[in-house]
Amino acid sequence: MQNKIKGVYLVTDRSLCLHHTLEEVVRLSATGGVSLVQLREKETSSREFLELAIHLKHILTPFQIPLLINDRVDICLASGADGVHLGQTDQPWFEARKLLGEKAIIGLSIETKEDWENLQKEHPNPNLDYLAVSPVFDTKTKTNTKPAWGLAGVRWLRENTTLPIVAIGGIHLDNAKEVIEAGANSLAVVSAICSANDPKEATIALKNMF
């Protein structure tokens, strides 16, 4: 699945969907050529999270765009989503791999160089589909993160791994090209699409940076 990890990666946030419903944002980004969609729901109940996941999977299936679930392996399994995105404090990725199988897309956030070094010590060849360098720039959508990596951090990780790199945090049209040139295979964006007047056009504009 690693070849799927390229281009524009939408991370959802209902509170930032200013002009359209979340479902409409996802549908419009799909028509604009988004590569992946991650459903991130921090405040909702498990039941509502599951219902939303099933609904988004239904929207994305005709476009053959994978749906990833943030943090929750159980929601991924129950909804038939294509994989999970895991943080450093979530269920260990290798346990998620056992539960979800080889075909699932599993990505892991790397927030510090220490996170990377620990991963290398324990799993020199991790069975992951991508690493998310987080955050590249400071961002209001993720307030509990470690210091920003910057472009130098993206370059450093690119030199140290052959896995696809997803860059997230403060990425928008004005800095997208620099992040790609630093070595990111995919750009994960939240407000750049969720808050756009036209999520389809916003997706196309970002996609054209590659």
Side-chain angles (χ1 to χ4, degrees):
M1 269 297 187
Q2 288 184 13
N3 61 349
K4 284 266 188 195
I5 314 302
K6 59 187 179 191
V8 185
Y9 180 140
L10 170 62
V11 180
T12 70
D13 186 327
R14 278 195 281 184
S15 68
L16 290 172
C17 294
L18 304 181
H19 308 287
H20 307 272
T21 64
L22 174 64
E23 292 87 345
E24 189 65 1
V25 166
V26 168
R27 190 185 67 77
L28 288 166
S29 72
T31 60
V34 79
S35 296
L36 293 145
V37 175
Q38 179 195 138
L39 177 59
R40 187 167 76 186
E41 287 288 326
K42 295 289 190 185
E43 310 298 329
T44 192
S45 69
S46 292
R47 177 170 289 191
E48 192 180 358
F49 196 170
L50 176 58
E51 287 171 354
L52 201 49
I54 290 168
H55 192 32
L56 295 191
K57 177 70 181 158
H58 184 69
I59 291 169
L60 292 169
T61 295
F63 295 96
Q64 296 183 302
I65 296 166
L67 174 67
L68 306 186
I69 304 296
N70 189 55
D71 299 349
R72 298 281 300 272
V73 174
D74 58 332
I75 299 288
C76 179
L77 281 166
S79 66
D82 301 280
V84 288
H85 175 81
L86 299 170
Q88 289 292 319
T89 58
D90 296 324
Q91 183 171 4
W93 65 266
F94 46 88
E95 297 294 347
R97 178 64 74 197
K98 284 182 204 168
L99 290 165
L100 296 175
E102 288 302 313
K103 288 185 179 176
I105 300 171
I106 299 179
L108 179 68
S109 283
I110 301 290
E111 295 186 354
T112 63
K113 288 185 179 180
E114 189 179 32
D115 290 344
W116 167 248
E117 286 156 8
N118 290 338
L119 178 65
Q120 283 299 284
K121 271 184 222 158
E122 293 165 21
H123 304 276
N125 295 297
N127 188 6
L128 286 161
D129 292 279
Y130 68 86
L131 298 172
V133 53
S134 170
V136 178
F137 305 113
D138 291 319
T139 171
K140 289 176 184 167
T141 61
K142 291 192 87 172
T143 52
N144 60 341
T145 52
K146 306 277 170 51
W149 283 81
L151 295 172
V154 179
R155 281 190 212 96
W156 179 86
L157 190 58
R158 177 73 290 155
E159 287 164 9
N160 283 280
T161 185
T162 57
L163 286 169
I165 292 174
V166 174
I168 186 167
I171 293 168
H172 46 73
L173 217 46
D174 293 338
N175 60 24
K177 197 74 183 165
E178 293 175 309
V179 181
I180 295 163
E181 286 168 356
N185 303 87
S186 178
L187 302 179
V189 296
V190 189
S191 54
I193 291 176
C194 287
S195 300
N197 279 310
D198 188 335
K200 177 182 176 180
E201 287 305 316
T203 304
I204 290 168
L206 283 164
K207 192 178 176 188
N208 286 343
M209 291 286 165
F210 285 89

